[in-house]
Amino acid sequence: MTNREKIINEAKRIEEDSLYSAKGHFYAGQCWVNTNLWLGGIAAVLSAIAGASALSQFDYHNIVAGSLSIIVAGLTAIITFINPNERASVHQKAGNRYNALRNDTRIFYDIELSEIDDKKATEDLKKLNDRRNKLNLESHQIPKWAFEKARKGIEEGEAKYKVDN
């Protein structure tokens, strides 16, 4: 195997790693978006019911209003503590960074590599690898379920472009 072939193979590994990481982060981020919507929606509905119940005339409504208020306070505390919106944003940004690395790597071995010598190719490959390592260190861990879902989607062709067929 020539040095050029080794460079191409390693670049393709970086591309593949980036694809799986990006998709995993996107799935994890979407889960946090959904969590935020569900918890926030439930809290809002229960808060409205509690308010309406507190304003009614009958005594048992005060118990309902009080109970619902406690539940709303608990949900609000959970939302504040786990901060699903922030977690979704972190995964979205990481996914975008991995996608950028994937795209840059593909352009490197498909287009740029033919115009540079092996020494420059090795230097550029090291820079791509450094970016991958930095992303791996800085990014939140992808939950196993998100990775599995990403792998399934990739295997089913979600990440393929028409031109690649």
Side-chain angles (χ1 to χ4, degrees):
M1 179 179 287
T2 68
N3 194 40
R4 185 62 54 136
E5 290 169 326
K6 290 177 184 177
I7 291 169
I8 290 170
N9 285 343
E10 188 57 34
K12 287 184 177 185
R13 287 184 190 100
I14 294 171
E15 179 188 30
E16 186 176 336
D17 283 349
S18 299
L19 170 63
Y20 281 85
S21 295
K23 291 206 56 78
H25 278 290
F26 290 142
Y27 280 120
Q30 187 57 50
C31 176
W32 285 113
V33 166
N34 293 340
T35 300
N36 189 50
L37 289 173
W38 276 100
L39 291 176
I42 291 169
V45 168
L46 292 177
S47 181
I49 293 170
S53 191
L55 296 175
S56 67
Q57 298 173 359
F58 301 106
D59 250 2
Y60 74 89
H61 286 4
N62 289 334
I63 294 170
V64 171
S67 299
L68 289 175
S69 295
I70 290 168
I71 293 170
V72 168
L75 285 172
T76 303
I78 290 169
I79 292 169
T80 301
F81 178 72
I82 65 174
N83 199 355
N85 221 17
E86 175 64 24
R87 289 177 186 232
S89 178
V90 165
H91 282 292
Q92 180 72 29
K93 287 177 185 174
N96 286 335
R97 288 185 182 115
Y98 277 109
N99 261 350
L101 176 59
R102 175 182 166 221
N103 293 338
D104 292 346
T105 302
R106 186 184 64 251
I107 290 168
F108 165 72
Y109 74 78
D110 261 355
I111 298 168
E112 295 171 352
L113 194 57
S114 64
E115 300 175 6
I116 57 177
D117 62 23
D118 280 0
K119 182 178 180 189
K120 172 79 168 119
T122 302
E123 290 171 6
D124 289 353
L125 179 65
K126 285 181 182 178
K127 288 177 187 174
L128 291 167
N129 188 57
D130 288 345
R131 279 176 60 192
R132 176 180 56 179
N133 290 339
K134 186 176 179 189
L135 279 171
N136 287 338
L137 289 171
E138 293 174 350
S139 299
H140 281 102
Q141 184 174 359
I142 301 169
K144 183 175 172 80
W145 66 263
F147 178 79
E148 294 297 332
K149 192 169 182 178
R151 179 173 47 190
K152 183 177 183 233
I154 292 165
E155 288 171 357
E156 291 175 355
E158 281 182 6
K160 293 263 188 218
Y161 294 102
K162 286 183 181 180
V163 71
D164 294 332
N165 291 332

